[in-house]
Amino acid sequence: MPPADNALPRAATLASRRALLKGAAGWAMAMRLGWGGSAMALPLAQSGAALLIPPTQMLPGGLRMPAPLPGAAPRLPATEPGRQSLDQGWLFHEGDIPFPVPADHNATYLSVKAGNAGGPAALDFDASDWQAVTLPHDWASAQGFDPAANVSQGYRPRGIGWYRRLIRLDPAVEGQKIELRFDGIASHATVWVNGSEVAHSWSGYTGVTIDLTPFARYGDDLNWIAVRADATVREGWWYEGAGIYRHAWLVTRPPLHIAEQGVHGHPVRQADGRWTVPVSVTLGNIADAPASAVVRASVRDAAGRTLCQGSATAQVDALDRGTAQITLRPDGAVALWSPDDPVLHDLLVEVERDGVVIDRRSVAIGFRAVVFDPARGLLLNGIATKIKGVCLHQDHAGVGVAVPDALVLWRLQRLKQLGCNAIRMTHGACAPEVMDWCDRLGFLVMAENRLFNPAPDYLAQLEWLVRRDRNHPCVFAWSVFNEEPMQGTHAGKEMVRRLRAAVRRLDPDRPVTAAMSGGFFNPENVGQAVDLMGFNYYQGDYDRYHALHPDQPMLSSEDTSAYGTRGAFASDPQAHVITALDKEAAGWGATHRQSWQAITARPFVAGGFVWTGLDYHGEPTPYAWPSVGSFFGIMDLCGFPKTAFGIRQAQWLDSAPMVWIDPHWTWPGREGQPIEMLAITNAPALEVRLNGRTVARIAQADRIMGHTLHIPYAPGRLEALAIDGGKVVARMVHETAGPAKALRLTPVRTALGSESDDAMAITIDAIDAHGRHVPVAQDMVHLSVRGGAIIGLGNGDPNSHESEKGSARSLFNGLAQAIVQGDAGLTALVLEARAPGLAPARLVVGREGRSAAPTVAAEAPRQRLDRWLRSPALPARPDPRRAPAAGDNNSWDSVGSSEAATTAAGSGEQWHLYRATLTPWRALAARGGSLRFASLAGTAEIWLDGVLLGRKTSPAPAPLTLALPAGAGPRELVVIVAARDVSVSGIAGPVDLTP
């Protein structure tokens, strides 16, 4: 690690972050901080996304992990005005809560009315003892492992959970369009707003947007949101998590506004080489009259220069939508987007009325041409480009599927460092932040539909995915399914035809594919209905298929499925341990070396996607209990590299020389015995030295298959050297480690942001007396933290049953990981690690001051009486026992707590009686509290269970607070109000019960 005092000045840090967002910082900054060294690999190209990639830090003993990057993780730019985070302030209950069964006809009648939801969806439900949580939240990640639970979901119980949140809306936004948005809820979900059922979600991978406007209350009249998440439903055969595991948002828009996902502007290269940007803008209007506006669109480059602009007018009827179409034509050449240089442009759309901009969007777009040639594969901007991709599930060690944004970025940076240029989002829509970073880092993305079904509910999910992601330059293809049994049938073909048509209506440019795992040669199959053939495995059939279909482009949508346990170099089936030396693979797959050899040898195969980039929870193939995680990853569940990382880096990385050799060189008791080694480089030649003596020299290195060596073990220094033109251009070193003497903590970055949602991964390892990494350490580590929290723990062991929460985790083959978040503010986070017999480690992570994103303030839960029965106006004081007849829902008004009665002038004294049945929350029932009327107009009497609680003697509107005696419900509250010659009387404001 760099010394603690070697820090960037604040101005330089901010400048580096701005550069980072543009793809122009990283290696050079690291070198300025002194993190380079003779043992490090040479830097990547000094341009584009390469500078976002953390440099490889060579710690003593051969640990190869990225050096910490300067400052806090960069944040994505805000592109949508009026959007506020709704992540804070939620209450959570694990387990289902049944809805009450109506006791009679009247209760049944009322139970199905708007605003009258019962049980945990009710306005006055007592959730005061629920757990306070912050989103994203995956409750399954905190579960223990249960052999009775589903194997594919990682033996973790999921079940059903409830969430509630209270929201205050500023009266100033009344009349505007208000949206409640959830980016992902696992797996099925129902949402209620103020007691009305407003939305259902049938997939955990699809976002939910709710028009809150007709249900909204303002000011002190608060809004209750309730969400029931049903994770008993399985959409996949891998770990899917449980709960509101992505961000939630509250979005406020003007009455005439740009609709959600309402801007489509994907650049298209014309036959003459010029570019156009067809822009479609969908407007919504919630006003009570038609509205017109001018819509302006422009494209700007990274320097802020306007390349082209245009405008159109639009007329939108009340409660309707309208569309404005604008075609933009940049003059001259434009900078192109590619994985090596992901240049982004800004498409700015503004809606203007009477010369005033009332709404705007900023959309990142990229100019790039994607052509799949049946003989040459992918031509990106006219250049043959091999897809070097991975399949990627969305979960991570310690946090499950609730992955913080900063960790999302770090996972992608690890893949970029690998040499990966493409990601297949398996098997469903990823979080939107993933797509945004793929644009900026330079990944080609195959966006994939989750559920193969053209029925309306499921077709809508595919359409949502396309609308959300069609502006992203990273997206090069749409996959409509993965490995469906109907793929080789007439019915399957017809289903795909309909899905493809739906995609093409929304995006006429990108190819549609399907990840097929058979049926390629059936008389009818889905390959006949797609633009791009996707092969899952079946690599022996590439040539046959191409010969039969020479005019159809193809790629490997999934391949490899090689097994490996990180840090293990001999298989032990009894212990469910598999060597990492790329020797074993699933029966349907191949090793990393065999698989890429089959792809790279065939120009007509556009490239491939390895199963998988990182390990994931669940699907512990080829084993079952006690294994709980996968063995397929190039990296383990923490992002620690397996041997496959070096193999793929040698195969894929062209921008810098590298070399890799495994296993480590710490084998006490095996002196003189041959150790099987795998060495691989992307350089022309390779040399291996042991204690300064050359033990292997390879004049023509094989960057695909590598080289297996057997070297007699002798403690000391083992070096693999990459040779080009007789010069050493990269090296990897393993040194024999002694017994572990101390712990070490290595952060991903040098600082956390001052906001509380920034996060980082911290590597925990053990070192010997000389500071060398001990790759065989298995010590239990106990952690403590100040100034923040540990939100997750992991070590990459697919057989471990240790909790991923808490403060203790064992090293697995030398490594473990803690994921931390800082408290809001500038107080440094201090993490300390201890293990018996080892010197402790202490890490101080500084904070980088920056403004927090707009956030909806959390509201303390409170019991509010929202529904009252109000009698007709009465000429005399009524008896407090007066009530409508049983089942009579017509004689008395049902009113809210802010709906006072009106009285005609000169009508004399009139009386109203208000009745409410309340069940005090548990604390109130046990100890009593206060009954507070924010505003009572008129003189009043308040009765509870037939006993007079108090009086209000002044007729003027005023608050009133009374002592509420203890007692469980249901209880009958009666308010008798008298008014004379006033315009308003009665309950004129919220009524709250407080402890």
Side-chain angles (χ1 to χ4, degrees), residues 89 91 118-130 164-167 222-226 859-866 917-931 944 964-971 991-995:
L91 299 175
L123 288 166
D124 62 349
F125 181 80
D126 184 4
S128 57
D129 60 351
W130 287 15
R164 286 175 65 90
R165 196 202 197 274
L166 198 56
I167 298 175
L222 304 180
N223 301 269
W224 270 113
I225 312 298
E859 292 285 338
R862 69 205 69 179
Q863 184 171 11
R864 174 157 291 176
L865 301 183
D866 283 284
T917 300
L918 64 99
T919 299
W921 289 1
R922 282 176 285 274
L924 287 164
R927 297 184 294 275
S930 298
L931 172 65
L944 180 67
L964 179 74
R971 310 186 76 176
V991 182
D992 289 326
L993 306 178
T994 58

Side-chain angles (χ1 to χ4, degrees), residues 797-878:
D797 181 2
N799 302 318
S800 176
H801 292 187
E802 295 174 10
S803 175
E804 293 194 315
K805 305 297 182 181
S807 60
R809 189 74 180 192
S810 62
L811 300 179
F812 174 64
N813 293 336
L815 296 172
Q817 184 178 78
I819 301 165
V820 299
Q821 284 181 325
D823 297 334
L826 295 174
T827 301
L829 180 143
V830 180
L831 183 68
E832 295 182 344
R834 288 178 169 79
L838 303 182
R842 183 173 182 268
L843 174 70
V844 178
V845 180
R847 308 300 294 276
E848 181 179 292
R850 55 192 188 185
S851 59
T855 300
V856 179
E859 292 285 338
R862 69 205 69 179
Q863 184 171 11
R864 174 157 291 176
L865 301 183
D866 283 284
R867 306 307 302 174
W868 296 81
L869 290 178
R870 184 179 65 198
S871 72
L874 302 169
R877 176 189 177 278

Side-chain angles (χ1 to χ4, degrees), residues 431-708:
E433 294 79 16
V434 176
M435 300 298 288
D436 289 336
W437 280 119
C438 285
D439 285 341
R440 287 159 173 79
L441 285 164
F443 286 102
L444 295 164
V445 171
M446 180 187 289
E448 189 156 277
N449 178 47
R450 172 71 295 269
L451 299 171
F452 179 43
N453 193 332
D457 283 345
Y458 301 96
L459 189 65
Q461 296 173 15
L462 173 61
E463 292 169 337
W464 171 88
L465 170 66
V466 176
R467 280 194 301 269
R468 190 194 73 168
D469 291 340
R470 61 186 174 176
N471 290 322
H472 287 285
C474 64
V475 176
F476 75 90
W478 305 103
S479 171
V480 295
F481 74 60
N482 173 71
E483 297 180 354
E484 289 290 337
M486 298 176 69
Q487 60 201 351
T489 67
H490 171 76
K493 175 184 172 183
E494 289 300 307
M495 293 166 71
V496 168
R497 285 184 59 231
R498 285 154 177 79
L499 296 177
R500 180 184 179 277
V503 172
R504 285 304 185 129
R505 284 191 292 269
L506 295 169
D507 180 10
D509 299 314
R510 294 177 177 91
V512 174
T513 188
M516 293 182 65
S517 59
F520 309 102
F521 306 107
N522 289 12
E524 281 193 279
N525 65 79
V526 303
Q528 298 159 356
V530 298
D531 309 300
L532 176 64
M533 167 56 68
F535 262 75
N536 276 21
Y537 309 101
Y538 287 88
Q539 293 186 296
D541 286 335
Y542 287 167
D543 295 335
R544 179 187 173 195
Y545 189 89
H546 181 61
L548 292 173
H549 306 280
D551 296 325
Q552 185 178 29
M554 63 183 288
L555 55 65
S556 170
S557 43
E558 185 173 318
D559 55 67
T560 309
S561 278
Y563 302 132
T565 302
R566 194 258 310 150
F569 301 102
S571 294
D572 184 350
Q574 295 299 315
H576 292 195
V577 173
I578 305 174
T579 177
L581 290 175
D582 197 35
K583 291 185 172 184
E584 300 185 30
W588 58 85
T591 66
H592 289 276
R593 292 169 290 173
Q594 293 166 341
S595 180
W596 187 245
Q597 188 176 52
I599 292 169
T600 195
R602 293 167 171 81
F604 62 84
V605 179
F609 292 90
V610 176
W611 190 263
T612 51
L614 281 84
D615 280 339
Y616 50 97
H617 297 90
E619 195 177 10
T621 307
Y623 300 116
W625 184 267
S627 297
V628 295
S630 82
F631 293 81
F632 293 118
I634 294 172
M635 289 174 274
D636 71 13
L637 194 54
C638 297
F640 297 140
K642 303 181 187 180
T643 305
F645 190 99
I647 294 171
R648 288 296 178 172
Q649 200 174 51
Q651 295 170 348
W652 290 350
L653 190 64
D654 296 320
S655 55
M658 58 73 58
V659 65
W660 194 279
I661 188 167
D662 264 343
H664 56 77
W665 203 241
T666 300
W667 300 98
R670 295 190 60 179
E671 287 77 8
Q673 299 179 25
I675 304 296
E676 182 179 352
M677 309 293 296
L678 176 63
I680 193 166
T681 181
N682 61 0
L686 172 68
E687 184 174 326
V688 179
R689 297 174 184 171
L690 176 59
N691 294 327
R693 180 176 60 87
T694 298
V695 293
R697 183 177 288 115
I698 299 161
Q700 294 183 338
D702 188 338
R703 68 179 299 185
I704 296 175
M705 300 302 289
H707 304 274
T708 298

